Amino acid sequence: MTTVNRTTGTRPATPPKTVTPRPARRRGPRRHTHRDLAVLCVLLGLPILLDLALVWGPTLASVALSFTTWDGVGDIHWAGLNNYADLFADYPQFWPAVRNNLLWLAALGLLATPFGLLLAVLIDRGVRFSRLYQSTLYMPVVLSLAVVGFIAQLILSRDQGALNALLGRQDHPVDWLGDPDLNIWMILLAACWRHTGYVMILYLAGLKSVDPELKEAAAIDGANERQAFFRVVLPALRPVNVIVGVITVIEALRAFDIVYAVNKGRNGLELLSVLVTDNIIGEASRIGFGSAIAVVLLLVSLGFIITYLVQELRGEQRR
């Protein structure tokens, strides 16, 4: 029964009721339904099966066939290391192809990559018509290397090429693509023209993600633009450097389209990828020998990529 205060005529405040909290229910692991399992199998299982069937399956088959002599039709005969011995000692096109692949790697790594970085820095500073420059320089990237090879033929052809016409050499034209001492350098220029735009876009995206406060702190400490770039900005671009390095190695070692479009990769334009194609698909149909060349190309690619990635990971750990 509630009592009333006679002096004030008010009732005393009712104390609040205490609510006892209910214990939280422990949620166990959610069980996957049959529909969830089906979705996982489709989204994960199919890509894994395609990767095994289209990448790792042919890779392991090439490694196995490299120790055999097989023409694709008859019986498979075990050859041991004879294919590799013949490749290194008795195949005259092998070492020129290795040299050309190394030249390809040096050109893309030492010419196209720094030039692409320079263009990215200039565009990132906001020069006039930067969007026009960006679109124009990126345009060659959307072209395949085969199309770049056809463009190189139009420009560098001996009889009807634009370069000889500009130089006024119609009477004594220079055979830019037929001379073995010149054609590799001309094709490398065309490949660098395409690779520069790719590198520029990657570095431009990386520069946009660099914290502006880092540059301001370097300026406060008295660093000029060159010092701020090499000591602050470039180390911050380490993830982009890894991507660019791996892509450069892959592009250099898998080059095929442009030289095959020019002269089928012969007469000074030999590459390891062309030798693989000529031996496996060509008239000789030496699948075992061509597989040995493919294995050498695979090992060289993995050697470059693994070495580069290990060095970059060690650098990240030291920081």
Side-chain angles (χ1 to χ4, degrees), residues 246-258:
V246 172
I247 290 176
T248 300
V249 172
I250 293 175
E251 288 289 329
L253 296 179
R254 76 178 184 90
F256 171 81
D257 322 43
I258 183 171

Side-chain angles (χ1 to χ4, degrees), residues 18-229:
T18 58
V19 179
T20 305
R22 296 181 180 180
R25 296 181 180 179
R26 295 184 59 185
R27 295 183 178 179
R30 180 177 176 270
R31 294 182 179 181
H32 294 290
T33 63
H34 294 290
R35 182 178 179 181
D36 296 336
L37 295 177
V39 171
L40 287 175
C41 290
V42 171
L43 296 181
L44 296 179
L46 288 180
I48 292 174
L49 289 177
L50 289 175
D51 186 60
L52 292 175
L54 300 178
V55 178
W56 291 105
T59 300
L60 296 177
S62 298
V63 174
L65 291 173
S66 66
F67 298 101
T68 65
T69 56
W70 187 42
D71 59 358
V73 178
D75 297 332
I76 300 176
H77 300 284
W78 181 259
L81 297 176
N82 292 337
N83 288 331
Y84 293 96
D86 295 340
L87 178 63
F88 291 113
D90 299 329
Y91 193 52
Q93 298 176 341
F94 175 71
W95 292 111
V98 172
R99 181 202 64 187
N100 290 341
N101 273 110
L102 292 178
L103 286 176
W104 214 282
L105 178 60
L108 295 185
L110 301 179
L111 293 178
T113 299
F115 190 54
L117 175 59
L118 175 62
L119 293 176
V121 172
L122 294 177
I123 293 176
D124 184 63
R125 290 183 177 179
V127 296
R128 294 184 61 184
F129 308 111
S130 60
R131 293 187 179 275
L132 176 62
Y133 297 148
Q134 181 177 339
S135 302
T136 304
L137 293 171
Y138 185 74
M139 190 177 300
V141 182
V142 303
L143 303 176
S144 67
L145 279 174
V147 176
V148 175
F150 292 134
I151 294 175
Q153 283 184 315
L154 295 175
I155 297 175
L156 303 173
S157 177
R158 179 181 181 274
D159 298 325
Q160 300 177 352
L163 184 57
N164 281 329
L166 290 175
L167 296 177
R169 300 295 299 267
Q170 290 90 343
D171 297 334
H172 302 283
V174 179
D175 196 358
W176 302 103
L177 298 178
D179 189 348
D181 297 328
L182 293 176
N183 54 11
I184 184 63
W185 305 109
M186 297 297 104
I187 295 301
L188 284 177
L189 285 177
C192 289
W193 171 61
R194 181 179 182 272
H195 191 69
T196 298
Y198 196 8
V199 173
M200 179 200 68
I201 289 297
L202 292 176
Y203 275 119
L204 190 59
L207 289 171
K208 297 296 184 183
S209 63
V210 175
D211 191 355
E213 294 182 358
L214 296 176
K215 302 178 184 179
E216 296 175 0
I220 293 175
D221 291 339
N224 54 33
E225 292 186 3
R226 182 180 62 84
Q227 293 173 337
F229 177 77

